[in-house]
Amino acid sequence: MTDFVLTTAEPKTMLSHLALYGLAAIVEDGGLEDVRLSWTSGMSSRPVLSAPQADPETIGEIVRRHAAQHDTPQSWPSRRISAGEQRALMSPRISVISSSDGWHSLQERRHDVLDQLMDARALLDLRLVAALGEPSYWRKNPQGQRLQDDGASRLEMQPRNQGSEFVGNRIRPLAAAVAARTAAAVSDGLLGHTVHDEIGKDRPDSRTPTGFAAPGPTDNALAWCALWGISQFPIAQRSTGFATTSGHIGRGTAGYFYVPVWNGRWVTARTRTILASGQLSQYAAAGLSPSDLGRTSDDTASHGEVAREWLAHRGVTAVVRFPVHRFGSASAPERRAMLGELLKTGRR
């Protein structure tokens, strides 16, 4: 096995975890076999992707090719709500469509994209689209206004100011930037040898991290992988509230994100299983009050110890919990995962 270490990615930043998950999913989808995910040991733990052919040139070319495949007029990120406007058809949060006919047309066109992805057996694309969610045409407030953001993943944190949305303002530009690189430049960015923020123009207040880290220059290859890491967090739609997002607990658009750190090498399927487990969610809630979680009663203590043992038995050494804060205007807030808190399971 060859180890590919994301040397600048440390576990107290949500971007680091998402980048590992997304990188593993991309290279596995690109044909790399026996892919494993792990963390280095010691005080300065770093995420590691391992595979028999995980050399920088191979990894860089697979990620570059993946971006290029999504930087074409025929790709699903390029599909738009209608001719003459920029908003992406497959974004889970868009400006409200007022008419019923408009919603029917939106759903029909989205279903057409899903059918094409099914025919192409594009499993990773389907995972990401499903994990991002969709505008919830079924949710309305007492005044009859649609609460279309309620069907989106809590991990989708692109601010909505001036009509911006996730696919058009993040996926499309990152695809073009990464596709334009050489394989070596892509791997250098992932390994932390260089940091080149093309879409953020290397500005000190760059929003390329899209809520997974504090504003600042972020290598576009690392950010590309991090956004595809969302694909590993399935959601469950609800008729009476926000969609339930794996890796998120708490109230609405605030609350907390959480992810595991583990011993040993995991396959991507095992990672997805743990991320979606109730035990991980229960242990992540340890020590939080019912009001923090949007609940009326406190049952976290009784479940927490059982969950801790379950996780420790499966090699999870800690759960990292990230408070989500909101910045900026009330009408178009910017959400951000702050530095994480390590909740150790006792497993060594």
Side-chain angles (χ1 to χ4, degrees):
M1 299 288 275
T2 302
D3 290 342
F4 187 93
V5 184
L6 308 183
T7 56
T8 59
E10 54 88 27
K12 289 192 175 181
T13 303
M14 184 72 172
L15 183 80
S16 304
H17 300 265
L18 271 291
L20 175 62
Y21 305 156
L23 175 61
I26 288 169
V27 298
E28 191 172 65
D29 186 68
L32 202 66
E33 298 180 347
D34 297 324
V35 174
R36 299 291 188 274
L37 299 79
S38 63
W39 290 82
T40 60
S41 58
M43 296 296 291
S44 300
S45 185
R46 293 293 184 266
V48 183
L49 182 139
S50 304
Q53 294 181 310
D55 58 276
E57 187 68 20
T58 298
I59 297 294
E61 176 54 25
I62 291 175
V63 175
R64 188 210 63 78
R65 187 170 64 242
H66 177 260
Q69 290 167 350
H70 294 86
D71 182 37
T72 68
Q74 297 77 31
S75 67
W76 64 264
S78 297
R79 296 284 295 271
R80 298 176 180 178
I81 289 178
S82 62
E85 73 156 271
Q86 294 296 314
R87 286 183 299 166
L89 177 66
M90 303 308 287
S91 274
R93 295 186 303 135
I94 54 175
S95 300
V96 173
I97 295 174
S98 57
S99 69
S100 295
D101 287 345
W103 281 102
H104 289 313
S105 174
L106 177 73
Q107 287 303 109
E108 287 175 359
R109 298 190 68 213
R110 285 179 62 93
H111 291 168
D112 180 56
V113 171
L114 295 176
D115 288 343
Q116 291 176 25
L117 293 176
M118 285 288 291
D119 291 342
R121 301 183 65 83
L123 181 58
L124 179 55
D125 297 81
L126 288 165
R127 279 205 175 108
L128 179 59
V129 171
L132 287 174
E134 63 179 312
S136 52
Y137 59 87
W138 60 89
R139 288 277 293 139
K140 294 182 180 180
N141 64 16
Q143 291 73 44
Q145 299 167 324
R146 284 189 173 88
L147 303 172
Q148 57 99 11
D149 285 5
D150 288 7
S153 168
R154 299 302 96 195
L155 291 163
E156 196 275 84
M157 294 184 285
Q158 169 67 23
R160 285 273 304 282
N161 51 307
Q162 299 180 345
S164 62
E165 35 77 20
F166 182 80
V167 174
N169 291 83
R170 279 295 177 268
I171 292 288
R172 283 179 194 160
L174 279 171
V178 178
R181 291 187 182 185
T182 63
V186 171
S187 63
D188 281 349
L190 293 171
L191 290 167
H193 297 164
T194 60
V195 176
H196 192 188
D197 188 351
E198 293 97 327
I199 71 167
K201 297 179 171 48
D202 293 315
R203 292 189 298 262
D205 63 346
S206 168
R207 264 44 180 190
T208 297
T210 321
F212 294 137
T218 303
D219 188 82
N220 281 191
L222 194 70
W224 174 254
C225 292
L227 297 191
W228 280 82
I230 297 173
S231 66
Q232 308 300 287
F233 294 81
I235 69 171
Q237 299 291 2
R238 300 167 61 199
S239 61
T240 58
F242 286 98
T244 299
T245 301
S246 302
H248 177 266
I249 51 175
R251 294 180 176 276
T253 57
Y256 300 82
F257 295 134
Y258 58 87
V259 290
V261 177
W262 59 89
N263 275 333
R265 291 171 169 170
W266 286 4
V267 297
T268 55
R270 181 180 181 85
T271 308
R272 287 193 299 272
T273 298
I274 299 297
L275 287 171
S277 69
Q279 290 85 351
L280 187 66
S281 173
Q282 289 160 10
Y283 193 60
L288 298 177
S289 69
S291 61
D292 288 331
L293 300 170
R295 300 173 183 170
T296 56
S297 62
D298 188 2
D299 59 358
T300 58
S302 59
H303 292 304
E305 179 58 24
V306 175
R308 184 196 67 78
E309 293 181 359
W310 188 91
L311 292 167
H313 182 69
R314 285 157 179 79
V316 176
T317 58
V319 174
V320 191
R321 185 172 65 199
F322 304 88
V324 180
H325 291 182
R326 293 190 290 186
F327 301 86
S329 69
S331 59
E334 179 182 353
R335 298 169 57 235
R336 190 183 309 158
M338 310 305 288
L339 290 178
E341 172 190 6
L342 216 60
L343 308 175
K344 296 183 178 180
T345 65
R347 182 70 178 243
R348 295 184 184 278

